Amino acid sequence: MLQDKVALVTGAAMGIGAGIADLFADSGATVYLLDLDGPKAEERAAAIRARGGKAGAFACDVSKRETVAAAVDGIARRHGRIDILINNAGIYPRRVFMEMTEQEWDQMQDINLKSIFHTCQLVLPHMIPQRSGKIVNISSVTFFMGPQKLAHYVAAKGGVIGFTRVLSREMGEHNIHVNCITPGAIKTEGEIVHANPADIEDIMQRQCLHRRLFPLDIAQVCLFLSTPMSDGMTGQNLNVDGGLIMY
Ligand code: NAP
């Protein structure tokens, strides 16, 4: 499905990003895993190569433009093209709003929102001359729910949805598709650290599908948004939460 495509996935050393990288590699793409933890991303890329896939890794802090630029340049020099960008890297520490520091607010915006300003501005110059490209931004179902202690996170993830809409309008004339996914509660390493098990149980009961969702559930929708199967769609959000909310 992704033969000859070059894909870049941020935050891919573990969790949802790693699931996306695995599925894309299994679907024939050459995948680059960008992550704060370079050795862990390389370990993941090596596992893909060991089973016959094509993958590489870059240590990269998505909130630091120069590290994103170094990775994008390296990939473009090697392949002469970039077809798919998955903006997945994100953090989600919880904090009551009145106790939130300015530094915590800024860090959240830098990693979860401003990062996609950097990645898109650096990758699009490669997609525009190709007259093709697929960008998928990972937001969150929390944007529709507004849970407590996540004001900084939900503000950033709402920004991701708004950004997706504007960028899709500006990129339509270049045949570049920009879409978004809002995952629900997905079982990942990060979620295990940040979520309360009782809350997860409650969410599972409220989902139409009473089961845990895994990175593969998000990766499959990401694959759809990265192939010609979704060529008629841009500027949209797909909510993947097991039927938790409906909008
Ligand atoms: P995760 O398990 O914590 O994995 C996130 C990965 O991103 C980690 O490898 C992490 O590296 C990396 N990362 C963090 N900050 C980075 C930075 N500045 N630059 C580059 N890489 C960075 O998270 P996840 O649960 O898979 O979540 C992935 C995305 O889905 C996030 O955007 C999150 O907001 C969104 N999401 C998740 C859920 C869920 O239930 N899991 C629900 C809705 C939305 P380190 O470990 O080295 O920090």
Side-chain angles (χ1 to χ4, degrees), residues 60-120:
C60 167
D61 179 345
V62 289
S63 67
K64 303 266 185 307
R65 191 176 181 98
E66 62 280 7
T67 68
V68 179
V72 170
D73 288 353
I75 297 164
R77 247 183 286 118
R78 203 169 303 166
H79 298 279
R81 60 185 303 115
I82 299 178
D83 302 288
I84 300 165
L85 166 64
I86 311 297
N87 286 308
N88 164 79
I91 57 170
Y92 40 95
R94 285 167 164 73
R95 178 79 75 201
V96 173
F97 177 66
M98 291 305 287
E99 291 171 8
M100 195 177 285
T101 65
E102 185 177 349
Q103 193 246 337
E104 286 170 333
W105 175 273
D106 286 345
Q107 185 194 31
M108 182 65 85
Q109 307 315 314
D110 285 349
I111 296 176
N112 287 21
L113 180 58
K114 192 174 175 189
S115 60
I116 68 176
F117 165 79
H118 297 315
T119 55
C120 290

Side-chain angles (χ1 to χ4, degrees), residues 209-227:
L209 307 171
H210 303 302
R211 69 164 173 89
R212 291 303 333 257
L213 296 177
F214 296 95
L216 182 62
D217 290 298
I218 303 303
Q220 288 174 154
V221 177
C222 216
L223 179 62
F224 165 69
L225 289 175
S226 302
T227 66

